[in-house]
Amino acid sequence: MSGYDRHAYEPFAVTVDLAVFTLRAGVLHGLLVERGEEPYAGRWALPGGFVRPDESAETAARRELAEETGLTDVSGLHLEQLRTYSEPGRDPRMRVVSVAFTALLPDAPEARGGGDAAQARWIPYGSARALAFDHDRILADARERVGAKLEYSCLATAFCPPEFTLGELRQVYEAVWGTPLDRPNFRRKVLATPGFVEPVPGAARLTGGRGKPAALYRAGPAAALHPPLLRTPREGRPA
Amino acid sequence: MSGYDRHAYEPFAVTVDLAVFTLRAGVLHGLLVERGEEPYAGRWALPGGFVRPDESAETAARRELAEETGLTDVSGLHLEQLRTYSEPGRDPRMRVVSVAFTALLPDAPEARGGGDAAQARWIPYGSARALAFDHDRILADARERVGAKLEYSCLATAFCPPEFTLGELRQVYEAVWGTPLDRPNFRRKVLATPGFVEPVPGAARLTGGRGKPAALYRAGPAAALHPPLLRTPREGRPA
DNA sequence: CCCTTTTATAGTCAACCTGACTGTAAAAGG
DNA sequence: CCTTTTACAGTCAGGTTGACTATAAAAGGG
């Protein structure tokens, strides 16, 4: 903060923007709200809002998340800072610096357009284009970050309910990465990672759809995956 | 931005803080400035300053980096957003939201206290305690991030001059991770990763200190490491 | 009620990667 | 000249991964 005591400073508006993801029927969805006013009236945008004077960005993000999803308890949800977007001109009205967050939800309560948004809705990722402001880019950055974190962290369980099958966990990876994974290999890898998942002791089995019932698991205490679960490297980079 | 059009907003001051790292004699150093005024007068702090109205945080960070290091060309240096710190009360005078950046320098020009700081100096990481504001935490977060990125990216070359030996590259990993690495295995791994480094074609050899002269390499076109170069997992997490 | 489809789970096998280690070469310093 | 230091080549066993086969247990359709 060398310029701290010498230069005059200009005030900025500070907002949070939320890239909220969930899985519905094995497809990655993002939460979007329809704007009611100019600029970008009628366009879809990420939920978010101003940071209040007594809040940190994290606190504001969690408050907005609760307002927008209609969930009464968002304390256990995964919420993580993505990055801050501060280009001049990203908001046509004034100078706005926005701290973007990524949130992951296990199930998808139908979004009630809480707060002040006209309406909120879960949209399959990729089917919404031309969002307001620079929200297309924020959403893409968030998805990329989530995909990368699946490789070396236990983040995937944040998409799952408290008890889940390994098939559901695999669907998280497949939906976010957009690649099918080998079932037996995925199973072996997950079970070999200490602390990733732990079996639910009771003779617990679940019948969701067709095939053989699957054993239930809970998220384990581990936060990181050692060694990581890597996406197939697209191609070797040529020298 | 659901609250965008309904709630009044409060202005914030927006600053950038820089965690600048370099290697001197194989030891990780951070760039710190001594504060000349209250609060925290006389204490060490991260370099940084206010974001100007026509700047993005990235632009402001690069400008401050040039001012603080005295380098005439900082365009090629690695500069990356770390995260944003926004706790109320992190600055006793006013509401300041700070976007923190991490920068990596190959060599260490003796820091001239450019800009407005009383003086700027390279301090071995870990020997400076009780920095001003929340800068201890920012610096620790930055080091952790750099250590993690060394695993799965080609970031290490950002600490090296344009041409370097594999020994120098290995010292980067050892200094940031605080662990000695096996020389032959490190060499094998780096050379087996396509695009990480490429040999300097001329009969290029360098004599730095003692032993056998080493071949010179340049940074290659790759940005990511596949598969990653992992730190030894400290210990298996107990179930 | 049988047969097909779907999913879970067990297991095999070869290729690859990694960590630990040995050996040789080429310089500097005493 | 001998020791120390660093670079570099190579070996070897164990672990991990990707590809693949096989079996079990359910649902759905005829």
Side-chain angles (χ1 to χ4, degrees):
Chain A
M1 301 195 180
S2 68
Y4 210 86
D5 308 298
R6 284 259 198 97
H7 299 128
Y9 73 93
E10 298 283 332
F12 293 75
V14 177
T15 62
V16 291
D17 284 316
L18 271 63
V20 190
F21 293 111
T22 196
L23 240 67
R24 312 185 83 178
V27 177
L28 185 68
H29 284 66
L31 183 63
L32 296 177
V33 300
E34 192 175 21
R35 286 184 56 79
E37 307 183 20
E38 292 295 336
Y40 300 103
R43 294 271 280 278
W44 293 93
L46 297 180
F50 286 102
V51 177
R52 296 177 183 165
D54 58 338
E55 285 178 329
S56 66
E58 280 72 16
T59 304
R62 203 166 283 279
R63 171 177 53 76
E64 291 286 345
L65 181 60
E67 291 177 13
E68 226 71 53
T69 60
L71 292 175
T72 56
D73 180 23
V74 296
S75 62
L77 300 182
H78 179 89
L79 183 69
E80 179 185 310
Q81 209 184 104
L82 175 62
R83 69 172 221 112
T84 294
Y85 296 81
S86 60
E87 302 300 319
R90 57 181 292 280
D91 187 306
R93 291 163 299 179
M94 57 181 144
R95 196 69 169 81
V96 177
V97 167
S98 181
V99 186
F101 287 80
T102 302
L104 307 183
L105 263 67
D107 55 349
E110 196 46 63
R112 56 172 191 91
D116 357 74
Q119 59 168 326
R121 196 179 297 176
W122 292 105
I123 310 280
Y125 182 89
S127 66
R129 291 275 154 226
L131 302 182
F133 307 104
D134 49 3
H135 290 188
D136 278 314
R137 184 177 165 208
I138 298 178
L139 193 61
D141 289 350
R143 188 231 168 96
E144 173 51 36
R145 172 79 67 90
V146 172
K149 291 205 80 168
L150 287 189
E151 290 194 326
Y152 57 91
S153 77
C154 298
L155 193 62
T157 56
F159 280 102
C160 295
E163 302 190 342
F164 51 87
T165 69
L166 293 187
E168 292 168 343
L169 189 66
R170 185 173 43 80
Q171 278 198 338
V172 173
Y173 280 87
E174 292 181 335
V176 176
W177 288 351
T179 327
L181 294 178
D182 183 84
R183 258 185 277 240
N185 289 343
F186 179 81
R187 174 188 186 78
R188 175 181 60 184
K189 172 70 181 173
V190 169
L191 294 180
T193 302
F196 192 178
V197 298
E198 35 194 45
V200 175
R205 305 198 145 238
L206 171 88
T207 305
R210 299 281 272 279
K212 179 177 173 179
L216 286 179
Y217 293 86
R218 261 195 289 268
L225 243 58
H226 262 291
L229 181 49
L230 297 174
R231 281 179 279 199
T232 317
R234 276 56 173 93
E235 84 282 7
R237 188 72 49 87
Chain B
M1 297 199 183
S2 68
Y4 211 86
D5 308 298
R6 284 259 198 96
H7 298 127
Y9 73 93
E10 297 284 332
F12 292 75
V14 177
T15 63
V16 292
D17 284 316
L18 271 63
V20 190
F21 293 111
T22 197
L23 242 67
R24 311 185 83 178
V27 176
L28 186 67
H29 284 66
L31 183 63
L32 296 177
V33 300
E34 193 175 20
R35 285 186 56 80
E37 305 183 22
E38 291 298 335
Y40 300 104
R43 294 271 280 279
W44 293 95
L46 297 180
F50 285 103
V51 177
R52 299 179 182 164
D54 57 340
E55 284 178 331
S56 68
E58 281 71 17
T59 304
R62 203 166 282 280
R63 171 176 55 73
E64 290 287 343
L65 181 61
E67 290 178 15
E68 226 72 50
T69 60
L71 292 175
T72 54
D73 181 23
V74 296
S75 60
L77 299 181
H78 181 89
L79 184 68
E80 180 184 309
Q81 209 183 103
L82 175 62
R83 58 162 261 168
T84 293
Y85 296 82
S86 61
E87 303 300 318
R90 55 182 297 277
D91 187 305
R93 293 163 296 177
M94 56 180 147
R95 195 70 168 81
V96 177
V97 167
S98 182
V99 186
F101 287 81
T102 303
L104 307 181
L105 264 64
D107 55 351
E110 197 46 63
R112 57 173 190 90
D116 357 70
Q119 57 167 326
R121 197 179 296 176
W122 291 105
I123 309 280
Y125 183 87
S127 66
R129 291 273 154 229
L131 301 183
F133 307 103
D134 50 1
H135 291 187
D136 279 313
R137 181 173 168 216
I138 297 177
L139 193 60
D141 289 349
R143 188 231 168 95
E144 174 52 35
R145 171 79 68 89
V146 172
K149 289 207 76 166
L150 287 189
E151 291 194 327
Y152 57 91
S153 76
C154 297
L155 193 63
T157 55
F159 279 102
C160 294
E163 300 190 342
F164 52 87
T165 69
L166 293 186
E168 292 168 343
L169 189 65
R170 184 174 41 81
Q171 278 198 338
V172 171
Y173 280 86
E174 292 180 335
V176 175
W177 287 352
T179 326
L181 295 177
D182 182 84
R183 258 185 277 244
N185 290 344
F186 179 82
R187 173 190 187 74
R188 177 181 57 184
K189 173 70 181 171
V190 169
L191 294 181
T193 303
F196 192 0
V197 299
E198 35 196 46
V200 175
R205 302 195 149 243
L206 170 87
T207 306
R210 297 282 271 278
K212 177 176 170 180
L216 286 179
Y217 292 86
R218 265 195 288 269
L225 244 57
H226 263 291
L229 181 49
L230 298 173
R231 282 180 275 198
T232 317
R234 276 60 173 90
E235 85 283 6
R237 188 73 48 89

